[in-house]
Amino acid sequence: MLELERTRLECRRAVRVGSVVVGAGRPVLIAGPCSVEPGYVEQALALAETGADALRAGIFKPRTHPDSFQGMGREALPLLDEVRLRTGLPLISEVLSAEDAEALGDRVDGYQVGTRNMQNYRLLEALGDIGRPVILKRGLSATIDEWVAASEYVRRRGNDDVVLCERGIRTFETRTRNTLDISAVVVARELTDLPVIVDPSHAAGKREWVPALAMAALAAGADGLLVEAHPTPAQAWSDGPQAISLQVLAGLVAAIRHHR
Ligand code: PEP
Ligand code: MN
């Protein structure tokens, strides 16, 4: 083992994302719609009421088909400003490129790198240079070692504020959208000093299955959850079938508090 790795493992890292600390012992709950929509301000105020710690705020969306809604883009920047001002909660926004990060400017507290971009090394280096926290999702066919190696691209640029996020991997199983690899939480937390959170939404693909997967993640020692939630899930512009309602989100908030 390299000396650097040994030193890192001796103390677990806590990553501050705005006013929230991931990896400080108390699991955090990041929630919000898959993508920012025109009704985002009202949605975010309602989500904040449930007691979520931070909000999803994706305006650049990496969709499998180019005809699918690609996110509101720069047009949504004023919505992010208003939500940050009115809720006081940290915002996490996905970036597909360094230009996306530049467009977001100081409006967000952390970047999300999606599963499709886990091995976009130039992007990871650019985010390392910027220095803001990065939530690095596991590639949908990436091994745990490849995922941890990807985090090093951010860290070698001097930014250690990386949170790993397991979101399900591709297996032979087709009933679920992806197969949630709970063991990855345990193994990644052993291999690195970084906090590990879980996104049960993209693993399940179906809202009814999200709470059980979320509880499984907490039981495995996850440092937090990243969950898709929407006041009217059926009307969500993207990933509606896996978005949980405010009521279910409030249940998760209570469960996570109990877990603390
Ligand atoms: C998302 O969080 O909306 C998303 C696109 O996730 P993933 O990269 O895990 O598919
Ligand atoms: Mn989504």
Coordinates of all heavy atoms in Angstrom, one line a residue, residues 3 22 26 39 50 59 67 104 106 117 125 131 139 150-151 161 177 180 187 203 218 238 243 250:
E3 N 2.2 5.0 0.8 CA 2.2 5.7 2.1 C 1.0 6.7 2.1 O 0.3 6.8 3.1 CB 3.5 6.5 2.2 CG 3.7 7.1 3.6 CD 3.6 6.1 4.7 OE1 4.1 4.9 4.5 OE2 3.0 6.4 5.7
V22 N -21.0 15.8 4.7 CA -21.2 14.3 4.3 C -20.0 13.5 4.9 O -18.9 13.9 4.6 CB -21.3 14.1 2.8 CG1 -21.7 12.7 2.5 CG2 -22.2 15.2 2.1
R26 N -23.5 11.5 10.7 CA -24.9 11.6 10.6 C -25.2 11.5 9.1 O -24.8 12.4 8.3 CB -25.3 13.0 11.1 CG -26.7 13.5 10.8 CD -26.9 14.8 11.4 NE -26.8 16.0 10.5 CZ -27.6 16.3 9.5 NH1 -28.7 15.5 9.3 NH2 -27.4 17.3 8.8
G39 N -41.5 24.6 -12.7 CA -42.1 24.7 -11.4 C -41.1 24.5 -10.3 O -41.5 24.3 -9.1
T50 N -39.9 19.2 4.1 CA -39.9 17.9 4.6 C -38.7 17.6 5.5 O -38.6 16.7 6.2 CB -39.8 16.8 3.5 OG1 -38.5 16.9 2.8 CG2 -40.9 16.9 2.5
I59 N -29.7 21.0 -14.1 CA -30.2 21.7 -15.3 C -29.6 21.2 -16.6 O -30.0 21.5 -17.7 CB -30.0 23.2 -15.2 CG1 -28.5 23.6 -15.1 CG2 -30.7 23.7 -13.9 CD1 -28.3 25.2 -15.2
D67 N -33.5 12.8 -28.2 CA -34.8 13.4 -28.3 C -35.4 13.6 -26.9 O -36.4 14.3 -26.8 CB -35.8 12.5 -29.1 CG -35.4 12.5 -30.6 OD1 -34.7 13.5 -31.0 OD2 -35.9 11.6 -31.3
L104 N -22.6 27.4 -14.4 CA -23.3 27.4 -13.1 C -22.6 28.4 -12.1 O -23.3 28.9 -11.2 CB -23.2 26.0 -12.4 CG -24.2 24.9 -13.1 CD1 -23.8 23.5 -12.7 CD2 -25.6 25.2 -12.6
D106 N -21.0 30.3 -9.2 CA -21.1 30.1 -7.8 C -22.5 29.8 -7.3 O -22.7 29.8 -6.1 CB -20.6 31.4 -7.1 CG -19.1 31.7 -7.3 OD1 -18.4 30.7 -7.5 OD2 -18.8 32.9 -7.4
N117 N -20.5 9.7 -17.1 CA -19.3 10.5 -17.2 C -18.2 10.1 -16.1 O -17.2 10.8 -16.0 CB -19.6 12.0 -17.0 CG -20.0 12.6 -18.3 OD1 -19.3 12.5 -19.3 ND2 -21.1 13.2 -18.4
E125 N -10.7 16.2 -14.0 CA -9.6 17.1 -13.7 C -10.0 18.5 -13.6 O -9.6 19.2 -12.8 CB -8.5 16.9 -14.8 CG -7.8 15.6 -14.7 CD -6.8 15.3 -15.9 OE1 -7.0 16.0 -16.9 OE2 -6.0 14.4 -15.8
G131 N -12.3 22.9 -7.6 CA -12.2 22.8 -6.1 C -13.5 22.7 -5.4 O -13.5 22.6 -4.1
G139 N -19.8 4.4 -12.4 CA -20.2 4.1 -13.8 C -21.1 2.8 -13.8 O -20.9 1.9 -13.0
A150 N -11.2 6.6 -10.6 CA -11.7 7.9 -11.2 C -11.7 9.0 -10.2 O -11.4 10.2 -10.5 CB -13.2 7.6 -11.7
S151 N -12.0 8.7 -8.9 CA -12.0 9.7 -7.9 C -10.6 10.4 -7.7 O -10.4 11.5 -7.4 CB -12.5 9.2 -6.5 OG -11.5 8.3 -5.9
D161 N -12.4 16.9 -1.9 CA -13.8 16.9 -1.6 C -14.6 16.1 -2.6 O -15.4 16.6 -3.4 CB -14.3 18.3 -1.5 CG -13.8 19.0 -0.2 OD1 -13.4 18.3 0.7 OD2 -13.8 20.3 -0.2
R177 N -34.3 -1.3 -12.7 CA -33.6 -0.5 -13.7 C -32.1 -0.8 -13.7 O -31.5 -0.9 -14.7 CB -33.9 1.0 -13.4 CG -33.3 2.0 -14.4 CD -33.7 3.4 -14.2 NE -33.1 4.3 -15.2 CZ -33.2 5.6 -15.3 NH1 -34.0 6.2 -14.4 NH2 -32.6 6.3 -16.2
L180 N -28.8 -2.6 -7.5 CA -28.1 -1.8 -6.4 C -27.1 -2.7 -5.8 O -27.4 -3.8 -5.2 CB -29.1 -1.3 -5.4 CG -28.5 -0.4 -4.3 CD1 -27.9 0.9 -4.9 CD2 -29.5 0.0 -3.3
V187 N -17.4 -2.0 0.7 CA -16.1 -2.1 0.1 C -15.4 -0.8 -0.2 O -14.3 -0.5 0.2 CB -16.1 -3.0 -1.2 CG1 -14.7 -3.1 -1.8 CG2 -16.7 -4.4 -0.8
A203 N -31.3 3.0 -9.1 CA -31.2 1.6 -9.0 C -32.6 0.9 -9.2 O -32.7 0.0 -10.0 CB -30.6 1.2 -7.7
L218 N -28.6 2.5 4.3 CA -28.2 3.0 5.6 C -27.7 1.9 6.5 O -26.7 2.1 7.2 CB -29.4 3.7 6.3 CG -29.9 5.0 5.6 CD1 -31.1 5.6 6.3 CD2 -28.8 6.1 5.5
S238 N -38.8 14.3 -16.1 CA -37.9 13.1 -16.4 C -37.9 12.2 -15.1 O -38.1 12.7 -14.0 CB -36.5 13.5 -16.8 OG -35.9 14.3 -15.8
A243 N -39.7 8.7 -9.0 CA -39.7 9.8 -8.0 C -40.6 9.5 -6.9 O -41.8 9.1 -7.1 CB -40.1 11.1 -8.7
A250 N -40.8 12.5 3.5 CA -40.9 12.9 4.9 C -40.6 11.6 5.7 O -40.0 11.7 6.8 CB -42.2 13.5 5.2

